[in-house]
Amino acid sequence: MGFTTPDLPAVEPESFLRLPLMERMRILAVNWAEHGFGSPRMVHTIYIAKLIVLYALGGIIIATATSQLPAFWHVSQWWNQPIVYQKAILWTVLLESIGIAGSWGPLAGKVKPMTGGILFWARPRTIRLRPWKWVPFTAGDRRGWFDIGLYAALLISVAVALFSPGVHSDSLSAAVPGNTSGLVNPALLIAPIVLLILNGLRDKTIFLAARGEQYLPALFFFAVLPFVDMIIALKLLIVVVWVGAGVSKFGKHFSLVVPPMVSNSPLVPFGWVKRAHYRDFPRDLRPSRIADLMAHIGGTTVEVIVPLVLLFSHNHWLSVAAVAVMVIFHLFIVSTFPLAVPLEWNVLFAYASIFLFLGFPNQNGYGLFDISSPWLAAALLAGLLFFPILGNFRPDKVSFLPSMRQYAGNWASAVWAFAPGVEGKLDRVTRTAKNQVDQFIEFGYEPQWAEVTMQQVIAWRTMHSQGRGLFSVLLRTLPDIDTRTVREGEFLCNSLIGFNFGDGHLHNADFVAAVQREARFEPGEAVIVWVESQGWGSKVQHYQVIDAALGVIERGTWVVADAVAEQPWLPNGPIPLTVTWTASDPKPVRHIEIRDEQNHERGALA
């Protein structure tokens, strides 16, 4: 891999592209296991430069310069100032809302231009996705000038709160005598809170892009709670995010996330380290014991136990050790450059660990039981847990972000299959980007290599549990699949609405219908297989087959254990599928496709 040249798979592209689809997936999954996405080092350098210069340094300069604090290099004089933390949140919300933080750049499918966000959300006639059809005054799926004005008002309101000086707070002065910086004016936070909700009701994309599920509660706490209660509420918020993410990793999905994540890290220089995360590279790409330990000791256990230690510890050195673990945890995620590239979020959480639990330790009057009222603590906890609990029992009702399943591997997802030559119809859709394959070509890739690169992304999907199910449905549904162009739904979604953070709800049947209004595919030209996350207490995932021209034409399920047991390239054929409904026979049906048992058993051991 060079600084400016990608690490392309060792294939001859013309002959490679003539191979059957699943043979291509085998080759590219093996390639990913050793090389990851293969992005040039320049790409990672751009991300790190953006993270350090724009986000970290830019945010610190703004926070200190607008809060009557010493210059940014006097770290000891500002790191534990409450207004700095408040402005770090506002700065992050602003960048996320513009679209230049998470889900930005080539690793998120944005090559030219590298920014989605504002380029889509400030343009009329782009796709708008309302979260609930029953909410009045939200009808339609295209953006109008009202939506653009609402979005612009959100950005302005956040910027006003960010750049305004602090105001005196009696509760802060009582808790921290001598503080002169004050807090962000609570009155200035009302507009961002209201506008974030209103934007979200009109277009869930903007709310999720701003990470409203985490930052909206923080803004609310800033606006209404006295200082000590505010700090305790912020501790509860970050602990719920951590523990919720940890709990979501219980199950069969998460171990499959770690190996391709480590394989994609440019900071893991040794191929043998990457290969060690697979059972028997290159024959068996299921997670090895090392990967299982990384997942459930280095991941799940850390996210559940260490935050609870921080919430209840009154021992200084124990808290220091726990904070160090969480900082390392978030920096490790940054080092792997996950495809949604949530780098800013991880840096903010690393800083929040230090600020909240060392800047205002429990033993100094900021513990959970120091809150002004137990009823307030109960109300805060109930509010913070509502969507994670609902979203895990009913994943169809709540985005995976409020459900706290960011890295769990248990995601709603999709793949699209286009008949030869019809992918270009997507260019009829109003947007500010082209199809990703065309973006790579404009960036300088030869057309065939651009196609191989896009297929590397769907090979990444096959390395996760839901990918084996999605491709099983494709193989069973489309006899001509080897001649079709298959695309990863998350990447495609990025090119059409300017954002995706791994949330399959952003490219579900409603999204497909919105795309179809302008793309105008004929029946059979664009077939999408979409799957919902696995709910707590269920052993299956529910899928849909969607014809862009006809709507949902089939529903069914697969058993998660069957998907986890298979190889990415499905050497034994599709996993067993249960069809529960078809458009041709709208009555509920119960048809089970079962592979040859001997082959199934052999596949489990392969």
Side-chain angles (χ1 to χ4, degrees), residues 228-261:
V228 173
D229 285 348
M230 180 188 82
I231 292 294
I232 296 170
L234 291 169
K235 288 183 177 182
L236 274 175
L237 172 60
I238 194 171
V239 168
V240 166
V241 173
W242 279 329
V243 175
V247 170
S248 75
K249 294 179 175 66
F250 294 142
K252 299 180 181 297
H253 301 275
F254 183 53
S255 288
L256 281 78
V257 174
V258 171
M261 191 175 180

Side-chain angles (χ1 to χ4, degrees), residues 124-329:
R125 298 297 301 164
T126 51
I127 292 174
R128 174 176 63 84
L129 300 172
R130 54 179 173 160
W132 299 296
K133 295 179 181 179
W134 54 265
V135 177
F137 309 112
T138 64
D141 56 24
R142 288 302 188 274
R143 202 175 314 278
W145 288 107
F146 174 77
D147 300 290
I148 294 170
L150 204 62
Y151 172 60
L154 170 64
L155 299 183
I156 293 170
S157 69
V158 174
V160 168
L162 173 65
F163 286 97
S164 296
V167 296
H168 174 77
S169 166
D170 290 337
S171 62
L172 172 62
S173 296
V176 187
N179 179 282
T180 59
S181 300
L183 297 173
V184 171
N185 189 340
L188 296 180
L189 296 170
I190 296 173
I193 292 171
V194 172
L195 287 166
L196 186 53
I197 294 171
L198 291 177
N199 273 275
L201 292 175
R202 292 283 297 176
D203 186 358
K204 61 186 177 183
T205 313
I206 294 174
F207 182 88
L208 294 173
R211 301 307 301 272
E213 83 283 353
Q214 296 181 30
Y215 301 141
L216 181 61
L219 296 180
F220 179 75
F221 299 156
F222 294 162
V224 304
L225 294 179
F227 179 71
V228 173
D229 285 348
M230 180 188 82
I231 292 294
I232 296 170
L234 291 169
K235 288 183 177 182
L236 274 175
L237 172 60
I238 194 171
V239 168
V240 166
V241 173
W242 279 329
V243 175
V247 170
S248 75
K249 294 179 175 66
F250 294 142
K252 299 180 181 297
H253 301 275
F254 183 53
S255 288
L256 281 78
V257 174
V258 171
M261 191 175 180
V262 172
S263 292
N264 194 48
S265 174
L267 299 184
V268 179
F270 305 113
W272 66 267
V273 174
K274 297 179 180 181
R275 293 190 293 270
H277 286 76
Y278 302 91
R279 287 192 194 178
D280 184 18
F281 177 89
R283 290 171 292 277
D284 187 345
L285 294 191
R286 290 173 297 176
S288 67
R289 180 59 60 188
I290 292 174
D292 287 335
L293 291 173
M294 282 276 291
H296 295 299
I297 302 300
T300 308
T301 302
V302 166
E303 281 191 292
V304 173
I305 293 179
V306 177
L308 293 177
V309 169
L310 286 171
L311 185 62
F312 294 106
S313 169
H314 281 67
N315 181 283
H316 172 71
W317 292 111
L318 180 60
S319 297
V320 168
V323 165
V325 170
M326 296 313 299
V327 170
I328 292 170
F329 177 83

Side-chain angles (χ1 to χ4, degrees), residues 252-575:
K252 299 180 181 297
H253 301 275
F254 183 53
S255 288
L256 281 78
V257 174
V258 171
M261 191 175 180
V262 172
S263 292
N264 194 48
S265 174
L267 299 184
V268 179
F270 305 113
W272 66 267
V273 174
K274 297 179 180 181
R275 293 190 293 270
H277 286 76
Y278 302 91
R279 287 192 194 178
D280 184 18
F281 177 89
R283 290 171 292 277
D284 187 345
L285 294 191
R286 290 173 297 176
S288 67
R289 180 59 60 188
I290 292 174
D292 287 335
L293 291 173
M294 282 276 291
H296 295 299
I297 302 300
T300 308
T301 302
V302 166
E303 281 191 292
V304 173
I305 293 179
V306 177
L308 293 177
V309 169
L310 286 171
L311 185 62
F312 294 106
S313 169
H314 281 67
N315 181 283
H316 172 71
W317 292 111
L318 180 60
S319 297
V320 168
V323 165
V325 170
M326 296 313 299
V327 170
I328 292 170
F329 177 83
H330 285 289
L331 294 181
F332 169 76
I333 297 174
V334 170
S335 75
T336 66
F337 292 87
L339 294 191
V341 279
L343 308 186
E344 288 79 5
W345 178 83
N346 278 284
V347 169
L348 178 66
F349 267 53
Y351 168 59
S353 307
I354 299 169
F355 170 81
L356 291 172
F357 296 100
L358 298 185
F360 298 90
N362 297 337
Q363 62 268 25
N364 287 7
Y366 298 95
L368 179 59
F369 300 107
D370 294 310
I371 199 166
S372 61
S373 165
W375 295 107
L376 175 60
L380 290 171
L381 197 58
L384 292 172
L385 289 176
F386 178 78
F387 283 112
I389 292 175
L390 175 62
N392 279 287
F393 277 111
R394 288 297 305 271
D396 57 311
K397 299 294 185 184
V398 182
S399 162
F400 92 126
L401 292 172
S403 302
M404 306 302 169
R405 285 197 305 277
Q406 293 93 331
Y407 297 103
N410 181 19
W411 307 310
S413 52
V415 287
W416 289 53
F418 297 98
V422 304
E423 183 183 13
K425 288 189 176 183
L426 291 176
D427 287 332
R428 298 171 178 174
V429 179
T430 302
R431 53 179 173 165
T432 55
K434 295 182 178 180
N435 296 327
Q436 272 103 1
V437 67
D438 298 318
Q439 293 184 44
F440 276 106
I441 292 170
E442 286 195 1
F443 191 71
Y445 282 58
E446 296 179 5
Q448 289 179 325
W449 279 116
E451 180 62 35
V452 172
T453 300
M454 290 306 301
Q455 294 196 20
Q456 184 75 75
V457 182
I458 58 173
W460 169 86
R461 178 63 69 188
T462 69
M463 300 176 78
H464 299 80
S465 55
Q466 71 282 150
R468 287 89 182 266
L470 292 171
F471 277 76
S472 292
V473 180
L474 277 185
L475 292 174
R476 187 192 59 80
T477 304
L478 298 171
D480 62 341
I481 188 61
D482 290 335
T483 68
R484 286 180 173 253
T485 300
V486 181
R487 295 287 183 246
E488 161 60 33
E490 182 178 340
F491 261 43
L492 183 143
C493 178
N494 264 315
S495 75
L496 289 162
I497 63 173
F499 175 81
N500 191 280
F501 203 77
D503 186 0
H505 288 187
L506 291 175
H507 49 91
N508 59 11
D510 292 335
F511 168 81
V512 175
V515 171
Q516 174 65 9
R517 293 191 216 294
E518 290 183 294
R520 301 186 303 278
F521 292 106
E522 296 296 325
E525 286 188 338
V527 177
I528 301 96
V529 182
W530 187 91
V531 67
E532 183 56 86
S533 306
Q534 178 187 14
W536 282 353
S538 174
K539 295 183 179 180
V540 303
Q541 286 188 266
H542 294 261
Y543 74 82
Q544 299 175 356
V545 179
I546 308 167
D547 186 304
L550 304 175
V552 178
I553 59 174
E554 179 180 300
R555 295 189 180 95
T557 64
W558 64 70
V559 176
V560 171
D562 290 335
V564 170
E566 260 299 353
Q567 300 297 333
W569 55 93
L570 302 175
N572 305 291
I575 64 172

